[in-house]
């Protein structure tokens, strides 16, 4: 597994990252033993980057990931853990200094760790971005000085939240951004932002190469916010791949992984078979390259909805 540098952090992260939301049965039930086995297999196959949040399964994801990492019985420096603060199942959003401090202590206990490598502000578009700039991030800087976290990140769906925050904090304050659904075959707008992010020295992580289920054979969950036009086009793309005996999930994963401007691509994994499928997609990309013919055909199907995003839940006025 290729290890890529993450901005100016000095971290070398696996190009395939382990999205641990399934460990909290965030989308569908995942047995604890299956989740622990998935983490073990991922680590064995070279994945060293694990991402979770107290929001996933109401802390269950953190707890299962913590058990799994402890069971590896390897030095702490052999793996990189990111978790989040500010979004919770019962409380909703709370990015206050007091809650952030409480949150990291809870997360460290859940994960059975002394520190996390990255603490992200989780989905900041739902709150005042000025609070993130003036209260949350300064609190994270103090946690960094105290050794509870090593690096600071921000996450969310709209890309303009990243420029808003990064333009208002001192250079080097935010180490990493985590973007999702903007580096997939139907939406590659994250790439337009990469030069700006690199100019700020910020590491770039992309998540959800399958666009939150749009490119899976079962289709997206009912709550998926994409328009009917986007859903229909993505469904047609999946059907086209199937008619050719190809896997849309593999093509979508490879599309995201192929761009080395992004340090890691997080994909949710809750079973050994899912881990193996994603690592196989990576290995085939490294060896044989992408199926350019099928990619071109899929891109033609998706062209009418290319780069059409969807609302993240509320209209956030910057």
């Amino acid at each position: 597994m290729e290890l890529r540098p993450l901005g100016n952090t000095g971290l070398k992260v696996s190009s395939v990252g382990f999205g641990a939301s399934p460990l909290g049965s965030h989308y569908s039930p995942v047995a604890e033993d299956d989740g622990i086995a998935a983490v073990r297999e991922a680590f064995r196959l070279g994945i060293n980057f694990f991402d979770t949040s107290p929001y996933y399964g109401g802390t269950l994801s953190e707890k299962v990931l913590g058990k799994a990492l402890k069971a590896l019985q390897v030095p702490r420096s052999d793996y990189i853990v990111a978790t989040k603060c500010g979004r919770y199942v019962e409380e909703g959003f709370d990015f206050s200094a007091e809650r952030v401090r409480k949150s990291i202590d809870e997360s460290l206990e859940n994960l059975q760790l002394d520190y996390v490598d990255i603490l992200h502000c989780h989905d900041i578009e739902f709150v005042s971005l000025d609070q993130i700039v003036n209260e949350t991030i300064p609190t994270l800087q103090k946690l960094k000085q105290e050794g509870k976290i090593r690096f600071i990140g921000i996450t969310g769906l709209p890309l303009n939240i990243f420029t808003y925050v990064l333009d208002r904090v001192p250079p080097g304050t935010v180490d990493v951004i985590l973007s999702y659904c903007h580096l997939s075959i139907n939406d590659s707008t994250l790439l337009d932002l990469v030069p700006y992010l690199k100019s700020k020295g910020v590491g770039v992580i992309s998540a959800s190469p399958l666009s939150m289920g749009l490119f899976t054979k079962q289709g997206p969950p009912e709550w998926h916010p994409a328009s009917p036009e986007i859903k229909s086009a993505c469904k047609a793309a999946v059907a086209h791949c199937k008619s050719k005996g190809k896997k849309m999930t593999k093509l979508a994963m490879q599309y995201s992984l192929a761009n080395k401007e992004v340090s890691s691509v997080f994909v949710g994994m809750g079973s050994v078979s899912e881990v193996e499928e994603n690592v196989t997609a990576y290995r085939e990309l490294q060896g044989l390259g992408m199926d350019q013919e099928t990619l071109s055909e899929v891109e033609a199907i998706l062209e009418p909805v290319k780069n059409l995003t969807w609302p993240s839940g509320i209209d956030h006025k910057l």
Side-chain angles (χ1 to χ4, degrees):
M1 180 67 63
E2 176 190 11
L3 299 180
R4 299 177 183 175
L6 182 61
N8 293 335
T9 64
L11 298 174
K12 295 287 185 71
V13 295
S14 52
S15 49
V16 177
F18 190 105
S21 60
L23 303 188
S25 297
H26 193 59
Y27 297 105
S28 58
V30 171
E32 182 177 295
D33 288 349
D34 291 339
I36 290 173
V39 171
R40 183 169 58 244
E41 181 68 358
F43 186 78
R44 188 183 74 82
L45 294 175
I47 293 174
N48 74 344
F49 197 10
F50 300 87
D51 176 77
T52 184
S53 168
Y55 178 66
Y56 303 149
T59 73
L60 181 59
S61 171
E62 286 187 328
K63 289 171 180 172
V64 175
L65 179 60
K67 284 183 182 179
L69 293 173
K70 189 170 186 180
L72 293 176
Q73 295 186 312
V74 297
R76 172 65 181 87
S77 57
D78 284 3
Y79 52 82
I80 296 160
V81 178
T83 193
K84 306 180 182 76
C85 65
R87 186 172 194 179
Y88 312 96
V89 171
E90 293 185 0
E91 303 161 68
F93 293 93
D94 187 347
F95 287 94
S96 66
E98 181 183 4
R99 186 64 183 97
V100 166
R101 282 195 162 276
K102 183 182 175 189
S103 187
I104 186 59
D105 288 341
E106 292 169 350
S107 290
L108 292 177
E109 183 176 346
N110 293 334
L111 289 161
Q112 302 182 56
L113 298 175
D114 296 324
Y115 67 89
V116 294
D117 297 280
I118 302 166
L119 184 62
H120 289 289
C121 302
H122 196 175
D123 291 345
I124 61 174
E125 69 266 28
F126 291 95
V127 299
S128 162
L129 296 184
D130 291 330
Q131 182 190 25
I132 301 298
V133 169
N134 298 319
E135 182 177 2
T136 314
I137 289 177
T139 304
L140 266 57
Q141 287 180 288
K142 291 174 184 173
L143 294 175
K144 196 174 180 179
Q145 293 166 1
E146 293 165 20
K148 292 183 178 182
I149 70 175
R150 295 179 67 196
F151 302 104
I152 295 168
I154 50 178
T155 84
L157 181 66
L159 293 174
N160 57 3
I161 61 173
F162 299 121
T163 53
Y164 187 95
V165 171
L166 289 169
D167 285 344
R168 287 164 176 77
V169 298
T173 304
V174 173
D175 303 292
V176 186
I177 68 101
L178 169 53
S179 168
Y180 66 97
C181 293
H182 288 305
L183 183 55
S184 49
I185 303 177
N186 64 306
D187 184 338
S188 58
T189 49
L190 174 60
L191 298 179
D192 297 334
L193 195 62
V194 166
Y196 165 88
L197 294 168
K198 286 192 172 293
S199 76
K200 295 283 188 178
V202 174
V204 185
I205 305 164
S206 180
S208 201
L210 307 185
S211 288
M212 297 194 300
L214 286 174
F215 293 135
T216 59
K217 61 184 178 183
Q218 66 268 29
E222 281 186 21
W223 51 259
H224 199 291
S227 68
E229 291 78 12
I230 295 173
K231 289 179 181 178
S232 178
C234 291
K235 186 176 181 179
V238 173
H240 177 75
C241 284
K242 186 178 180 181
S243 73
K244 294 188 67 175
K246 309 285 186 177
K247 277 191 172 182
M248 183 71 204
T249 50
K250 179 170 78 172
L251 190 69
M253 184 73 184
Q254 290 178 334
Y255 180 89
S256 294
L257 284 169
N259 194 294
K260 297 194 177 185
E261 297 293 306
V262 171
S263 298
S264 190
V265 176
F266 283 139
V267 60
M269 297 183 246
S271 68
V272 168
S273 62
E274 288 174 346
V275 171
E276 291 173 341
E277 184 176 335
N278 289 314
V279 173
T280 297
Y282 164 79
R283 287 176 173 169
E284 288 184 10
L285 176 65
Q286 297 299 101
L288 302 172
M290 225 177 323
D291 182 344
Q292 293 294 339
E293 179 182 308
T294 304
L295 176 62
S296 296
E297 292 164 355
V298 164
E299 286 181 321
I301 293 170
L302 296 172
E303 182 60 33
V305 298
K306 179 72 173 179
N307 293 338
L308 295 181
T309 188
W310 47 78
S312 56
I314 62 170
D315 291 326
H316 185 77
K317 302 296 190 291
L318 292 176

